[in-house]
């Protein structure tokens, strides 16, 4: 299986499949396909995990499994955000926690679940739940703006605005802290930030979707309809 990420930040993931190779993608992620490809639409896993990932992880209830029935098949996949697509390698020693809603696709062997952060670790845009990618393979994610990878060395500390965090190595030591003193936290435009202690691998987005929404004066339809509520400053989607 070969991959190309084309046209960042107006990105598309192009997947070349040989006979019997498969890839699983978010429902609605398909842009194009070429060749004899079998499509199997199914729930992500068991009913409980599927409901949890869909409702709490902001992902679709169903996914599509694409299987090449001949050599030379090609798929084009993408996500909703206007921004980069990245490839993250997952293995038994390096799982990742991932921003809810950013998942596009994954190779066989990768398991997607949700992870409760707790009220003291409400990162990724103040979401109480995030995705957890474990197993062996690759996961492809899409976020608003450019995506940058940083390696945090042992003993180093890295401060990142919550709304810019895309993915973080699962065994990282991180905590949510105030941005400076009380005045800076309230008036400095940052509020709470995430302090990450190395060693860690961090992926972050260069743009903040919440700021764009605020700039345009647009409210999320789900919030307008009352399907989200805030608890202690965290948004919970229903």
């Amino acid at each position: 299986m070969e991959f190309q990420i084309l046209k960042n930040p107006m990105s598309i993931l192009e997947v070349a499949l040989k006979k019997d190779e498969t890839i699983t993608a978010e429902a609605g992620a398909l842009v194009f396909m070429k060749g004899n490809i079998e499509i199997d639409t199914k729930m992500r896993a068991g009913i409980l995990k599927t409901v949890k990932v869909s409702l709490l992880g902001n992902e679709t209830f169903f996914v599509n499994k694409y299987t090449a029935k001949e050599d030379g098949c090609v798929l084009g996949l993408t996500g909703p955000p206007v921004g980069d697509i990245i490839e993250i390698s997952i293995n038994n020693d390096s799982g990742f926690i991932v921003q809810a809603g950013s998942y596009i696709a994954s190779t066989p062997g990768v398991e997607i679940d949700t992870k409760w952060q707790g009220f003291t670790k409400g990162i990724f845009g103040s979401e109480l739940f995030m995705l957890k990618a474990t197993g062996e393979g690759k996961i492809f994610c899409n976020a608003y703006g450019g995506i940058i990878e940083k390696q945090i060395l042992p003993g180093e500390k890295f401060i990142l605005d919550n709304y810019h965090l895309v993915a973080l190595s699962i065994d990282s030591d991180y905590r949510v802290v105030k941005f400076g003193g009380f005045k800076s936290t309230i008036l400095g435009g940052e509020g709470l930030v995430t302090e990450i202690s190395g060693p860690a691998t961090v992926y972050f987005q260069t743009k903040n979707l919440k700021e764009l929404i605020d700039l345009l004066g647009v409210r999320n339809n789900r919030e307008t309809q009352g399907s989200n509520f805030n608890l202690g400053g965290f948004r919970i989607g229903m």
Side-chain angles (χ1 to χ4, degrees), residues 49 90-98 106-113 115 131-139 170:
K49 181 180 289 188
I90 306 293
N91 59 55
N92 293 326
D93 297 322
S94 62
F96 275 81
I97 50 178
V98 178
S106 55
T107 60
V110 174
E111 182 176 351
I112 304 296
D113 202 346
K115 180 177 175 63
L131 297 179
K132 178 175 68 173
T134 56
E136 194 87 28
K138 297 180 183 296
I139 181 174
I170 203 167

Side-chain angles (χ1 to χ4, degrees), residues 26 44 53-60 79-86 88 90 95-105 112-115 117 121-133 139-148 160-170 174 194 201-211 213 235:
E26 186 82 344
R44 293 178 176 274
V53 172
S54 178
L55 295 182
L56 303 179
N58 198 26
E59 303 295 337
T60 58
V82 179
D84 288 353
I85 292 175
I86 57 168
I88 302 177
I90 306 293
F96 275 81
I97 50 178
V98 178
Q99 179 190 99
S102 67
Y103 169 84
I104 297 176
I112 304 296
D113 202 346
T114 55
K115 180 177 175 63
Q117 300 184 89
K121 289 188 175 181
I123 58 174
F124 296 93
S126 298
E127 297 282 359
L128 292 177
F129 292 88
M130 54 196 170
L131 297 179
K132 178 175 68 173
I139 181 174
F140 299 91
C141 301
N142 180 207
Y144 176 56
I147 302 177
I148 297 173
L160 187 63
D161 182 276
N162 291 355
Y163 286 93
H164 288 262
L165 192 49
V166 176
L168 180 63
S169 46
I170 203 167
Y174 66 95
T194 302
T201 302
V202 183
Y203 293 88
F204 64 90
Q205 59 198 62
T206 59
K207 299 297 182 181
N208 182 332
L209 184 58
K210 179 180 180 298
E211 289 180 350
I213 293 172
R235 189 176 76 253

Side-chain angles (χ1 to χ4, degrees), residues 142-158:
N142 180 207
Y144 176 56
I147 302 177
I148 297 173
E149 176 187 356
K150 288 286 186 183
Q151 296 293 332
I152 313 304
L153 300 177
E156 290 185 336
K157 291 190 182 297
F158 188 73

Side-chain angles (χ1 to χ4, degrees), residues 3-55:
F3 309 94
Q4 290 189 84
I5 296 172
L6 307 173
K7 297 297 183 181
N8 274 340
M10 303 294 186
S11 48
I12 184 172
L13 170 66
E14 187 175 277
V15 184
L17 298 172
K18 297 178 181 178
K19 185 178 180 181
D20 296 329
E21 289 184 329
T22 67
I23 189 167
T24 299
E26 186 82 344
L30 180 71
V31 177
F32 71 87
M33 64 181 184
K34 183 182 74 172
N36 185 7
I37 299 175
E38 181 180 84
I39 305 166
D40 180 20
T41 301
K42 60 180 183 178
M43 292 191 300
R44 293 178 176 274
I47 183 65
L48 293 179
K49 181 180 289 188
T50 297
V51 170
K52 185 171 64 167
V53 172
S54 178
L55 295 182

Side-chain angles (χ1 to χ4, degrees), residues 216-234:
L216 296 175
V218 177
R219 294 191 63 191
N220 187 296
N221 287 335
R222 291 175 64 190
E223 291 181 358
T224 304
Q225 294 167 2
S227 57
N228 285 269
F229 66 92
N230 289 320
L231 180 61
F234 299 100

